[in-house]
Amino acid sequence: MFDHAGRIVSVAQKEHRHIHPRPGWVEHDPEEIWSNVQQVVHQALHDAGLQPRDLAALGIANQRETTIVWERESGRPVHQAINWQDTRTEGLLRQLAASPGADRTRELSGLPLASYFSGPKLRWLLDNVPGLRERAAAGDLLFGTMDSWLIWRMTGRHLTDVTNASRTLLMNLHTLAWDDELVELLGVPPGMLPEIRPSAEVYGEARGELAGVPIAAALGDQQAALFGQTCFDVGDAKCTYGTGSFMLLNTGQRPVRSERGLLTTVCARVGDEAPTYALEGSIAVTGSLVQWVRDNLELIGSAPEIETLARTVEDSGGCYFVPAFSGLYAPHWRSDARGVITGLTGYITKAHLARAVLEATAWQTREVLDAMTSDAGIELSTLRVDGGMTANNLLMQFLADVLNVGVVRPIVAENVSLGAAYAAGLAVGFWESREELRANWHIAAQWLPNMEPDRRDRGYRKWCKAVERSVGWLDEDDEV
């Protein structure tokens, strides 16, 4: 919860389970998420000593590609939600790639055919859950991403916003409507798709715990972070460092088609205003690599300890870690890649590995930034950052060094939530303009580049060599 100055009034959070039924499969329980949402709402209000009537509006930010299908009448999910990281659709995508019109997905939607997006996950459910396609064709089932699921549970309306719709591989990036050609390519019954609405408007009043509160915004989490960072002008960019990392560059009211492996996506649409667009580079594994080192290798006891361990050495000792656990996302889009550690010698210790783990996040960001500046023709001078990994000062300095730009973190770290609140507040007049929001943004920390160009270039060349060794790992009949 935020006040008019954009300050945090109350925070409540609760983890939900990641379910791994098979290698490469990642699921969530939609009912568990709905229960957790109700619990944290109650906790946040209780901690602040507030009632729902004290809230001007509610905004939603969500994982954009996580896919849910539920019964229209009962609201019961027919399957676990398929998470954005899930790779089970790889075989399906190979079949779709050979279909007529498959080469037009980037032109129409701004996206490549990839397991990342929700449309192929929906198709997988229709093809693999007995009876689902027939029930969907009969109008008994609804599809949505997490925003749709929550809005439906709270209001009974079946809708999504343009930012989430732009991540389905089903929406036309130019008309902001479901595209008949894409819907046919993916074999989805149109009747199960939600209505596409602006990112900031009143969708209805909540029921239950937040009874009477207007639900006034929905944005995909990364677009919400861009909004929370007040990146409203062409050329503004941010990168959120969480489980994965996501860099977005505002390109204004024109969608820029990427020639270098980036995604073209919708930034936001506020009410009846023209939509704004962004180039996005999605990196699958950054913070989750630290968690993997903690939980699977047990080299550290907690995530913050990785910085302490990495600081005991001057560099990675020539060691590079490419964390392609579920393939490589931007700018490569290689689902056949798998993680590799290169440059190992007898000199390498766990401290060098820890440093290589952190440096992997910066090198992956460098790949995305190079593609972004080439596609958009815009040179960045500053990158705004947020997310849990920005508390790691060693990583943030190395990031500034390898990008050769200033890296800035704002006072409010919860920019995904803040962006959702800002959009909802604009929709109900709690804030009158974007200028008010800009006035709330303040720097908490800044890192400036301090690396010799030769060292930067040499390190990047080595990183690119390591990436080359990670691709082509899977055979066609391998389990993904």
Side-chain angles (χ1 to χ4, degrees), residues 6-17:
R7 294 176 300 223
I8 295 175
V9 173
S10 181
V11 174
Q13 56 191 3
K14 185 172 172 47
E15 289 190 10
H16 53 266
R17 291 174 300 139

Side-chain angles (χ1 to χ4, degrees), residues 18 42 52 62 96 100 157 185 200 237 271 275 304 307 343 353 359 373 376 480:
H18 290 261
H42 178 82
N62 60 287
L96 291 174
R157 291 190 68 189
L185 173 68
E307 180 176 5
L353 285 176
E359 291 182 357
T373 54
V480 296

Side-chain angles (χ1 to χ4, degrees), residues 106-256:
R106 271 197 181 275
E107 178 185 342
L108 296 170
S109 70
L111 310 175
L113 272 175
S115 62
Y116 184 17
F117 308 111
S118 49
K121 301 180 198 301
L122 172 57
R123 168 67 179 270
W124 187 94
L125 288 168
L126 293 169
D127 288 349
N128 289 275
V129 178
L132 215 61
R133 181 169 291 280
E134 293 75 16
R135 296 177 65 192
D140 297 338
L141 302 177
L142 301 177
F143 152 77
T145 43
M146 197 56 66
D147 59 310
S148 298
W149 168 246
L150 295 177
I151 292 170
W152 189 86
R153 292 301 297 250
M154 287 189 280
T155 70
R157 291 190 68 189
H158 184 217
L159 58 88
T160 188
D161 93 298
V162 289
T163 66
N164 283 290
S166 74
R167 312 297 292 205
T168 60
L169 261 174
L170 295 166
M171 190 192 84
N172 187 297
L173 200 63
H174 308 281
T175 66
L176 304 186
W178 301 120
D179 187 274
D180 291 342
E181 188 175 337
L182 294 172
V183 169
E184 182 178 354
L185 173 68
L186 287 171
V188 172
M192 66 188 312
L193 300 176
E195 179 185 2
I196 301 174
R197 301 300 308 168
S199 313
E201 72 170 18
V202 177
Y203 305 132
E205 289 190 354
R207 304 179 295 213
E209 187 75 36
L210 289 171
V213 177
I215 302 177
L219 298 103
D221 51 5
Q222 301 312 316
Q223 285 92 334
L226 193 73
F227 213 87
Q229 287 273 29
T230 67
C231 292
F232 301 135
D233 294 332
V234 175
D236 288 347
K238 72 87 198 175
C239 194
T240 298
Y241 291 95
T243 302
S245 293
F246 304 86
M247 183 186 293
L248 273 74
L249 172 72
N250 187 328
T251 62
Q253 293 181 12
R254 68 181 184 103
V256 174

